[in-house]
Amino acid sequence: MIKTDIQVFRLFAMRNQFEKQPAEKNQLLNSINIKTLKNKKAVQALYEALLFIIAYPDNKAVYTSANRVILQLQAHIQSDEKRSYSLYNTGITGTSVCAAFSFEMVKWLRKTRPGAITLNSFEADDAQIQSILSVVMQKTESEILQDANAEWKGWLKHLKKSDEDLLDQFIAIFDSSEIRPEVKDELWNTIGINVAINFTDHCCLPQSLIVPYYHRSVIRKVIKPQPILKPVEIKLNDSEREKIIDCCRMILVRKLRELDPISFTEVKLVSYYQLARGISIALMGMVPERRHPVDSYMGYVVFKNGLPVAYAGSWILFDSARIGLNIFTDYRGGESKYIFDQVLQLHAKVYGLKRFTVDPYQIGKYNSDGIDSGAFWIYYQAGFSPLQKQQQQLAVAEEQKIKANKKYRSPPTALKTLANSRMQLVLQKGAVSFDATDLSRTYAAILTKKYKGDRNLAEKNAVKKLAGILQIKNYEETTLNFILKNWAVLLLSNEKELRSNSVLRKMLKKLFLLKANGSEEAYITDLQNNAELRIFTEGIIKFYLTN
């Protein structure tokens, strides 16, 4: 092993060690000869170490050195095509990835980075692509694709403008389609358009939003109770909001991931908060046509010294939210528990929440990363507890083993068992005890018990009837109709009470109009202030799920 590689792996090993380490870290940063770095594993280790050190610097000198070296590493990678290709799909700056992303994401990438994204391949065969294009294109145009009158490649080539390629044509065809967004997404995903994306710059916030924090140590354990969070909301201009969205989307692209509230947000739906220890959090909602009809699906990204270190979503209904946490692997070994505590406190304060729940997938069910990272313990140590008795008992037993032996780690078999139960954290008494998953079960119970499984009977004319009861005249508008359709069967299951309660009817009308065209935050607040709807909904759930 050459000297540079030894230095790199030493730096990686001590990246999350503090106290007596700053001088050695800075010495290594200043002595590593980037030009002699050839080993793929060493390049990856150095990149990960630099990201961590920038997020968790010991002092200004270490912070400055790490920022300088990461730019040198980028230039080193970009200077050699073979070296860059060897790091394919790692997400490192100066390399590229190839994968299939959503229509809206590809459209945005093509608009913001036209020279960095190219069409690579299709996962569907020609017959499938021809069929899907026949559905998405206008009927007058797509008729030529029927009965072998023309094949799709030749037809699109015939129509191609001089300044566009096949990817541009697919984007234009899907963009002009009037098909509902979620259906359009599925058709796009079925085609499986793999695109290659080159990363030419680092993924971080603009300097105007970065206030570096230097660490004497890291917080490994959150001591309860924590001081009441006092987040500072930063007033942003549109340019800063666009850069936040860009950073949030691009870090997920680098990791070959997407999250709906990040993919389907826009400038005016972003808010940004600065907290302690170099942490800041961006919250964002979705444009109306993409919103969930019942709960509010919001997204967040956590930054540390301007670098995106974690992300997830929350599904808010009344004063309760399902929530998750994904710490990017580059930053594990840092302040994950403290970060999650800050996320929970910020959500509780901004959205008025009294209860959080975690779904099994977030803990590790059908999610190997959740098992490998021991995600259960992040939630458990944040105050969450399993809802099922078996998992409650196992958690206590595993906790005792850990206390008795600091080197003990829960085996995958135990973590998989723990992941079979949802978890909850109750901040205040009186919080709602249900969420959208309970409404799904209630909906199914209504179909079974009231309509004997006849879905068509349950849903036929339900939207029109509900709109009439609530005196909503524009119920045929696409987004509003979608919302009403998702609420109608639930609300009409107790039609007598709905018709007799004028306060409830008035508030429901206001809520549906907010969800369709207004502020999602206002929808969340008004839902929390509507005791009539909460009692009404709880009554329906209790009747159909307990009888």
Side-chain angles (χ1 to χ4, degrees), residues 56 213 215 217-224 226-230 275-281 302-304 325 327 334-346 378 381-382:
Y56 295 93
Y213 179 84
H215 299 68
S217 62
V218 294
I219 298 175
R220 304 290 188 188
K221 185 177 181 180
V222 178
I223 306 298
K224 299 289 185 176
Q226 280 288 300
I228 297 173
L229 182 70
K230 296 181 179 179
L275 293 84
R277 301 182 65 82
I279 295 173
S280 58
I281 300 177
V302 181
F303 300 89
K304 196 94 163 65
L325 173 72
I327 300 286
E335 297 182 334
S336 300
K337 296 170 186 175
Y338 178 76
I339 285 172
F340 190 42
D341 181 77
Q342 298 296 290
V343 167
L344 293 174
Q345 287 198 54
L346 182 66
I378 295 289
Q381 291 166 8

Side-chain angles (χ1 to χ4, degrees), residues 216-426:
R216 294 182 179 179
S217 62
V218 294
I219 298 175
R220 304 290 188 188
K221 185 177 181 180
V222 178
I223 306 298
K224 299 289 185 176
Q226 280 288 300
I228 297 173
L229 182 70
K230 296 181 179 179
V232 178
E233 183 173 6
I234 304 301
K235 292 183 178 180
L236 304 170
N237 56 45
D238 284 353
S239 175
E240 288 172 326
R241 286 192 175 92
E242 285 175 353
K243 288 174 181 176
I244 288 173
I245 292 173
D246 186 282
C247 186
C248 293
R249 288 176 176 170
M250 289 309 297
I251 187 60
L252 293 184
V253 169
R254 285 172 182 253
K255 304 297 182 181
L256 306 179
R257 303 179 189 182
E258 283 193 63
L259 190 75
D260 284 357
I262 295 175
S263 295
F264 307 139
T265 192
E266 63 182 11
V267 166
K268 65 181 181 180
L269 303 178
V270 175
S271 57
Y272 179 74
Y273 299 84
Q274 283 186 344
L275 293 84
R277 301 182 65 82
I279 295 173
S280 58
I281 300 177
L283 302 176
M284 57 202 74
M286 291 192 279
V287 294
E289 61 270 21
R290 291 286 185 167
R291 291 173 182 169
H292 285 198
V294 179
D295 59 4
S296 299
Y297 186 13
M298 314 298 282
Y300 73 85
V301 175
V302 181
F303 300 89
K304 196 94 163 65
N305 283 353
L307 296 180
V309 300
Y311 80 103
S314 61
W315 295 259
I316 301 169
L317 186 63
F318 291 97
D319 54 14
S320 180
R322 297 150 61 204
I323 198 164
L325 173 72
N326 296 287
I327 300 286
F328 294 121
T329 55
D330 305 318
Y331 305 100
R332 292 177 185 173
E335 297 182 334
S336 300
K337 296 170 186 175
Y338 178 76
I339 285 172
F340 190 42
D341 181 77
Q342 298 296 290
V343 167
L344 293 174
Q345 287 198 54
L346 182 66
H347 276 73
K349 195 169 187 69
V350 172
Y351 298 125
L353 302 175
K354 299 177 182 178
R355 173 180 179 257
F356 292 99
T357 62
V358 178
D359 292 329
Y361 179 83
Q362 298 292 337
I363 308 165
K365 189 170 185 177
Y366 310 130
N367 175 8
S368 60
D369 186 56
I371 299 298
D372 295 341
S373 64
F376 173 86
W377 294 110
I378 295 289
Y379 297 110
Y380 191 77
Q381 291 166 8
F384 287 77
S385 60
L387 292 176
Q388 302 299 321
K389 187 174 181 179
Q390 178 191 359
Q391 280 73 24
Q392 290 172 2
Q393 293 173 341
L394 179 57
V396 171
E398 286 295 304
E399 185 178 31
Q400 292 300 320
K401 292 177 183 178
I402 292 170
K403 288 180 178 178
N405 180 2
K406 292 184 178 181
K407 293 184 179 180
Y408 176 80
R409 295 292 180 269
S410 298
T413 52
L415 292 172
K416 288 177 181 178
T417 300
L418 290 168
N420 278 325
S421 171
R422 296 171 66 199
M423 303 179 75
Q424 75 168 352
L425 169 64
V426 179

